[in-house]
Amino acid sequence: MRQLKYMNKFHPYDLAFKRHCKEGKLPNYVVIEQRYLDLKPLLPGNDDHPSHDVAHGQRLVKEVYEALRSTLLVVTYDEHGGFFDHVPTPVAGVPSPDGVVSAPPISFAFDRLGVRVPAILVSPWIEPGTVIHRPPGPEPTSQYEHSSIPATVKKIFNLKEFLTKRDAWAGTFETVLTRTTPRTDCPEELPEPVLLRSSAEAEEHRGISEFQAELVQLGAALNGDHATEAYETDKLVGGMTIAEAADYCQRAFAKFREECRRCHDCGMDESYIPEVQPAAPPAAPAPPASKLCICFPCFRA
């Protein structure tokens, strides 16, 4: 996603999403990222991660639903939240996406699935109350899992290739779109979520979480800081607040976008991945003795 050809595909949700929906400019396939950092006064974290109020995450779902009720909205999560699952995780016949094995001593081959996560499909082209469990294929051991999303996209848009062996194996869910005419009984608006926290004020001066630190490290990979000593020694995220993390990530992305524009203007191929050079470290202050020597010529007889 860092190739030049993708740079104009990123848009700020708060400024562009509803407008693009209204103007009919929304692409056929859109991924919406939540706000992972809780900021004052109008930008609360809406990613459902602790300690953010889940009401903000549900308000995001409400906004998206009300903006594009005529298409297919997929709401899913990347983890189960720690809840017990009585269904054993699939371990047989699950292909490794690309054959990569993690470093020893774990040496995980990525050839099994994890616990189940919710997946909600919302569309007027789906019969009400539809529930799906196991896919009919493409393999006898196929399951619905996160790779089902790119697998379904490939099937709907007749794309040439799968991304990995995993999405080639995953079940697809386009079969739930069974109606020939859209439903007319879908609500136009959803209820307003009720805040659960006693205070809705963002806590932007708190230290960042481990997950938020990883977001900062991703930003460092964009602006070149990943090649600096500060990144290697973990000085980059140590003691960083949420507000500082948000500012850092915003500046990192802006710096990467600027490098992309420069590469584009230089005629680089669209498949080129720009690399931002790390900023030069500030010059060390001169020792006191050298300062005295520098000042000596200033004293004239």
Side-chain angles (χ1 to χ4, degrees), residues 20 27 34-35 39 56 116 121-122 173 197 204 232 247 260 262 279 292:
H20 286 177
Q34 310 94 315
R35 282 192 298 268
L39 299 175
H56 295 305
R116 296 181 299 175
L121 309 180
V122 185
F173 50 80
R197 295 199 320 201
E204 59 184 23
E232 295 175 356
D247 179 67
C260 289
R262 188 191 68 81
L292 289 174

Side-chain angles (χ1 to χ4, degrees), residues 152-216:
T152 302
V153 170
K154 177 187 179 299
K155 197 166 186 178
I156 290 177
F157 296 110
N158 195 29
L159 303 181
K160 293 181 179 180
E161 299 177 350
F162 289 102
L163 299 177
T164 68
K165 295 179 181 178
R166 179 65 64 81
D167 56 300
W169 166 87
T172 59
F173 50 80
E174 81 289 344
T175 53
V176 301
L177 303 169
T178 57
R179 294 182 60 92
T180 57
T181 58
R183 291 168 52 191
T184 58
D185 59 341
C186 301
E188 295 185 6
E189 296 183 359
L190 298 180
E192 183 68 25
V194 178
L195 292 174
L196 302 180
R197 295 199 320 201
S198 58
S199 174
E201 186 174 351
E203 299 176 327
E204 59 184 23
H205 297 298
R206 290 180 54 180
I208 57 176
S209 66
E210 181 179 353
F211 168 69
Q212 291 166 336
E214 293 174 353
L215 296 179
V216 174

